[in-house]
Every structure is written in C-alpha cells, then in structure tokens.
Amino acid sequence: SVSFVGILETLISARIADGMTKSNTYPRREAFANALANLGTGLAGGVPCTAALARTALNIKSGATSRMSIVINALACMVMGSTLLPYFKNYPMAVVAAQVVLVSVNMVELDHVRHVWVMDKAGFGLTILVALVCCFRDPTAGIVVGIVVGLLRFADAVSSGHAEVILNSNHDHAASHLPIKLLDNVGEAHILPDELNKLRCMCFYGGKTFTEQDGDIEMQTKQQEQQDSPLPPQEEEVHDVVIYRIVGKLTYINAQRHLSRVRSFRSNKNIHSLILSLRYMHYVDLDGVDAIQDLIDTMEAPDSGDEHFVRVLIAAASPSCEALIIKAPWYDAKKKDNAIFHSYQDALASLEHRAYKVHSNSEDEE
C-alpha cells in the first residue's frame, strides 16, 4: 500500500507540474523512475521515497524550469542532512506548519476550482471531500478516499451502457435515432410498432432529431429551409431493421443493461433484423462476449405462439476487441451464416439484396 500511494502521489505531482508549466509528463517513465529510486533507498536502509506535492509547486513558483532544479534540491538536502541536521532539530514545528500551509494554499488555482464547479459538480464535491479528509485526518487517507469514490463513480458511469439505436427501413433507407432513455424507461416492456412510427414522424417530419452525448439525450431543433412551403404529408413507414451500436465498454457491469434494451424490440412483429454494430466498442471481456451470445439466443429464438424471430447480424468489430470476439462460438456460427460484415452499411445492403430476391421470387411465382 505504501508503494501504491507513493507512485500515485508521484503521478499527481507530475500532473500538477504539467498544469503549471504547460508541459507533458510520461506516466510510465515517472513510475519506473520512482521504482528505481525506491530500490536504491531500500538497499541503503531508507524509507520509501515519492514526489512531494507542495515542494513541486514551490519549486515551480520559485522559477525552476529544468531538471537541474531537482538535482540542486537533492544536493542541498544531502548537505543539510549531513552537516546542519543538529541545528534543524530546534526549528519550531509551528513555523514549518505555517510554511507548508502557505505553499499548499498557493497551489490552489481559483480558475481551476471554478472550472470544476461549472463542469462537474459531483467532481467538485469529491474534491472538497478529499481536502477535508486530508486536513482532518491525513493525506494518505484523503488519497484513498478519493480513489475509492472515483472508482465508484466510474463504475456507475460504465454501468449505464452507452449505445446508439438507429431505426431503419429497407424500403426507403430512412433512418432515425431512437433516444436511449426511451428504452431505459420501458425496461422489459415492449415498444409497439405505432410508437416507433410516431417517433420516426417526429424525427423527420416534425423538424427534430435526437442525439446522445455522454449518456444524456439532447434534442436539437432543426430550422426548416422552406418555411413558406410546408412539407407535404408523408406516409408513415414501418421500421423493420434496428441498428444497435455499442459505444465504449461491454463488460459484466453493463451487459444486462444492453440486453434489456435489445429485448424491448423482441416482440415487435415488424422488426425482422437487428444489426449489432461493434465499431465503437473499444473494450470487451469474457462476460461481454457471453452477453452477445445471450442476445443472439434471445432474439433468434421463435416465440412460443408463432414463428417470429429477429435475425442478428454482427457488423464492424473494432480491432481492439476482435482478437477475443473471433474465439467465441457464436462468431463462427454467424460467419457460416454470412452474418458478419465490415460495416453496418454492408449489413443493410445485404438485407436489401435478400429482400429484393424474396420479392422477385414471389413475383415469379405469381
């Protein structure tokens, strides 16, 4: 735990120095250097070493801009420790505390505090909590509290399951974005065909579109270019293809959220295909791969009362996830079924070609 806190404090000090000097630090190099330094102190019988937040800030504010400053600091500490240490024993601790408090207060930049308050109030609250723990307990406890709460916030954000849903019609290539919150609100309930049609009319003919950004749905109003001549009434088109695009991670934490959303389309008799786009999924674990298997089994199993099922097509697996995905049994099965595509546009083109062949065969029979 001491080594972990030491490396973490070193990286935080580097981050503070980067913000003050507008420079770039390599975290791996800093961690490796800290490990080598701790090896040296251990062999010499010393205590673990780490970067110091206050001394780093004071060093920069004093005008130090090169690496030589830390060499001078080390030499000065060596001289004082070997020759002047008896005199520093009588140095009043109240004076030391006052100096540390002054340096620490000068580390706080009000502009950055205002920026955190405006952009992320939950993060601002976490900052205040860590500061209070550091003041009334100790800095190590404050760092641990910040790590734990930050990890919990990250897990909550990942569990929301970022995704994008596009409703598509093979007949006219029309597509509209379905707000994710609509699926989250219905949960395991079913989205009826007339609800999808109303949504499409609202998206295209009502002058409004829906987009998703960081899990929140924003409604953006489009200005109609021809206000004097209103659009003629359009015939409602039935959506028969759903494109579900997973964004970010697919893990045990958020797999069930994605499954519950996709299942909401299961009993819609108009929908015959679901394209699962994995282009923007940059990480998947074994639980995520198994969740895709559950999704395929759920969508492609016929209903008890009829033969309706939804065919699942896989599109655009990202290179970072492809190495694990291609090992899954469902991937081989889909590949044999010609249901693996480089992009969701290719999958749509395949569905259009298949629908055209079915239509041509029916006309020939007539």
Side-chain angles (χ1 to χ4, degrees), residues 27 56 65 81 87 93 133 135 154 159 165 174 180 184 193 234 335:
T56 300
T65 57
Y87 301 98
M93 296 302 297
V133 175
C135 291
F154 176 76
S159 66
V165 177
I180 288 295
D184 290 338
Q234 302 286 340
K335 192 172 183 179

Side-chain angles (χ1 to χ4, degrees), residues 118-172:
V118 172
M119 299 299 296
D120 185 8
K121 288 182 172 56
F124 179 83
L126 178 58
T127 302
I128 298 300
L129 175 63
V130 172
L132 293 175
V133 175
C134 290
C135 291
F136 294 100
R137 182 65 179 177
D138 61 74
T140 302
I143 292 176
V144 172
V145 170
I147 292 173
V148 173
V149 177
L151 288 176
L152 292 176
R153 290 188 62 203
F154 176 76
D156 180 68
V158 173
S159 66
S160 63
H162 300 286
E164 181 183 23
V165 177
I166 304 174
L167 307 174
N168 194 83
S169 171
N170 277 339
H171 300 289
D172 57 1

Side-chain angles (χ1 to χ4, degrees), residues 8-9 62 80 106 114 125 130 163 203 216 224-225 228 236 242 245 263 271 303 311 313 320 333 342:
L8 185 62
E9 189 170 354
S62 300
M80 287 187 293
N106 289 332
R114 296 191 190 98
V130 172
C203 287
D216 296 328
Q224 296 184 358
E225 297 179 357
D228 298 335
E236 291 184 355
V242 175
R245 180 182 294 152
R263 285 170 183 162
I271 296 175
D303 289 335
R311 185 169 181 247
L313 292 81
S320 58
H342 292 291

Side-chain angles (χ1 to χ4, degrees), residues 7-326:
I7 292 177
L8 185 62
E9 189 170 354
T10 298
L11 297 179
I12 294 175
S13 300
R15 179 66 181 86
I16 293 175
D18 288 342
M20 298 176 67
T21 61
K22 309 302 179 183
S23 58
N24 294 319
T25 300
Y26 300 97
R28 291 181 179 273
R29 188 180 299 175
E30 288 290 329
F32 182 71
N34 184 258
L36 292 179
N38 280 319
L39 285 175
T41 57
L43 294 174
V47 296
C49 62
T50 179
L53 304 177
R55 280 181 289 173
T56 300
L58 179 61
N59 200 27
I60 295 174
K61 287 183 177 294
S62 300
T65 57
S66 66
R67 300 176 182 177
M68 186 56 64
S69 61
I70 193 63
V71 176
I72 297 175
N73 179 77
L75 293 175
C77 290
M78 184 179 65
V79 172
M80 287 187 293
S82 59
T83 60
L84 303 178
L85 188 58
Y87 301 98
F88 277 94
K89 289 182 178 179
N90 300 323
Y91 199 69
M93 296 302 297
V95 177
V96 176
Q99 292 175 339
V100 173
V101 169
L102 180 62
V103 173
S104 301
V105 171
N106 289 332
M107 289 173 57
V108 179
E109 298 180 358
L110 294 180
D111 292 338
H112 180 71
V113 174
R114 296 191 190 98
H115 176 72
V116 175
W117 168 255
V118 172
M119 299 299 296
D120 185 8
K121 288 182 172 56
F124 179 83
L126 178 58
T127 302
I128 298 300
L129 175 63
V130 172
L132 293 175
V133 175
C134 290
C135 291
F136 294 100
R137 182 65 179 177
D138 61 74
T140 302
I143 292 176
V144 172
V145 170
I147 292 173
V148 173
V149 177
L151 288 176
L152 292 176
R153 290 188 62 203
F154 176 76
D156 180 68
V158 173
S159 66
S160 63
H162 300 286
E164 181 183 23
V165 177
I166 304 174
L167 307 174
N168 194 83
S169 171
N170 277 339
H171 300 289
D172 57 1
H173 304 286
S176 55
H177 288 72
L178 178 65
I180 288 295
K181 284 186 177 180
L182 177 61
L183 297 180
D184 290 338
N185 291 335
V186 300
E188 295 294 336
H190 304 306
I191 298 180
L192 302 178
D194 58 343
E195 292 177 329
L196 298 183
N197 291 333
K198 290 178 182 178
L199 177 65
R200 180 179 185 275
C201 292
M202 180 170 60
C203 287
F204 278 84
Y205 309 125
K208 297 176 181 179
T209 60
F210 293 89
T211 60
E212 178 184 353
Q213 182 177 2
D214 294 335
D216 296 328
I217 305 301
E218 298 179 352
M219 188 169 63
Q220 301 175 339
T221 304
K222 290 185 176 180
Q223 300 293 334
Q224 296 184 358
E225 297 179 357
Q226 300 177 351
Q227 296 181 354
D228 298 335
S229 58
L231 294 173
Q234 302 286 340
E235 180 182 357
E236 291 184 355
E237 185 67 51
V238 176
H239 295 91
D240 48 15
V241 179
V242 175
I243 303 169
Y244 192 86
R245 180 182 294 152
I246 299 176
V247 180
K249 301 176 177 62
L250 178 60
T251 63
Y252 171 79
I253 298 177
N254 59 12
Q256 291 302 318
R257 180 65 67 88
H258 289 294
L259 286 175
S260 63
R261 289 172 183 166
V262 174
R263 285 170 183 162
S264 61
F265 295 101
R266 177 65 182 84
S267 63
N268 191 324
K269 306 302 180 182
N270 292 325
I271 296 175
H272 61 74
S273 299
L274 181 138
I275 301 175
L276 186 63
S277 178
L278 309 178
R279 172 69 68 188
Y280 299 106
M281 184 182 70
H282 58 77
Y283 176 79
V284 63
D285 60 6
L286 183 58
D287 293 310
V289 174
D290 293 340
I292 297 178
Q293 178 69 69
D294 295 339
L295 184 150
I296 294 173
D297 295 340
T298 301
M299 301 301 288
E300 295 189 346
D303 289 335
S304 57
D306 53 32
E307 296 298 325
H308 173 71
F309 67 94
V310 178
R311 185 169 181 247
V312 178
L313 292 81
I314 308 298
S318 62
S320 58
C321 303
E322 190 174 11
L324 181 60
I325 289 176
I326 60 178

